[in-house]
Amino acid sequence: QVQLVESGGGLVQPGGSLRLSCAVSGSIFGAYTMGWYRQAPGKEREVVAQIITGGSTDYAESVKGRFTISRDIAKNTVYLYLQMNSLKPEDTAVYYCHMKTIVRGSWYDYWGQGTQVTVSS
């Protein structure tokens, strides 16, 4: 069973920084992408940043140059991070850790519970 547990959200002033963490455990064999999505009130969930199999990264245009995604691989757990700098009020959203896997030709999506990020003075 795959588990994704996020931490690190909170309230920050504009221009500030936050670091989100996600511990991914369980059967992660076949992981194709690992990344972060966000959903603001009244808006659809959108991809923020992701690491694609092979190690390449991809960012939403709105966060390029401000956010950095990274990961550490431990024995049975993958730790995914999102360093967010120069935060803006429009970055306010619930942030979700996500993993997409492919196993025997079938795709699976896994989500964390979400962590609230609020950027406000």
Side-chain angles (χ1 to χ4, degrees), residues 96-117:
Y96 297 91
C97 182
H98 170 262
M99 181 175 70
K100 180 181 287 292
T101 66
I102 179 168
V103 179
R104 290 188 289 275
S106 296
W107 293 96
Y108 299 89
D109 288 281
Y110 298 95
W111 296 93
Q113 80 282 4
T115 185
Q116 177 70 47
V117 172

Side-chain angles (χ1 to χ4, degrees), residues 45-105:
R45 193 173 295 189
E46 61 175 1
V47 62
V48 176
Q50 54 186 354
I51 298 175
I52 304 166
T53 184
S56 62
T57 57
D58 188 37
Y59 294 90
E61 284 295 326
S62 59
V63 307
K64 280 184 180 178
R66 300 188 297 120
F67 291 12
T68 303
I69 189 171
S70 61
R71 69 180 174 189
D72 288 327
I73 301 174
K75 186 177 180 181
N76 296 308
T77 303
V78 175
Y79 297 93
L80 192 67
Y81 304 102
L82 185 68
Q83 178 66 43
M84 304 185 293
N85 299 327
S86 302
L87 282 160
K88 305 175 181 180
E90 50 263 44
D91 295 318
T92 296
V94 178
Y95 284 70
Y96 297 91
C97 182
H98 170 262
M99 181 175 70
K100 180 181 287 292
T101 66
I102 179 168
V103 179
R104 290 188 289 275

Side-chain angles (χ1 to χ4, degrees), residues 35-46:
W36 294 91
Y37 283 66
R38 68 185 180 187
Q39 188 166 20
K43 294 188 176 181
E44 293 188 356
R45 193 173 295 189
E46 61 175 1

Side-chain angles (χ1 to χ4, degrees), residues 7-47:
S7 61
L11 173 65
V12 63
Q13 291 186 343
S17 298
L18 277 177
R19 188 191 196 207
L20 305 183
S21 300
C22 177
V24 184
S25 61
S27 178
I28 60 174
F29 175 79
Y32 184 73
T33 63
M34 301 182 78
W36 294 91
Y37 283 66
R38 68 185 180 187
Q39 188 166 20
K43 294 188 176 181
E44 293 188 356
R45 193 173 295 189
E46 61 175 1
V47 62

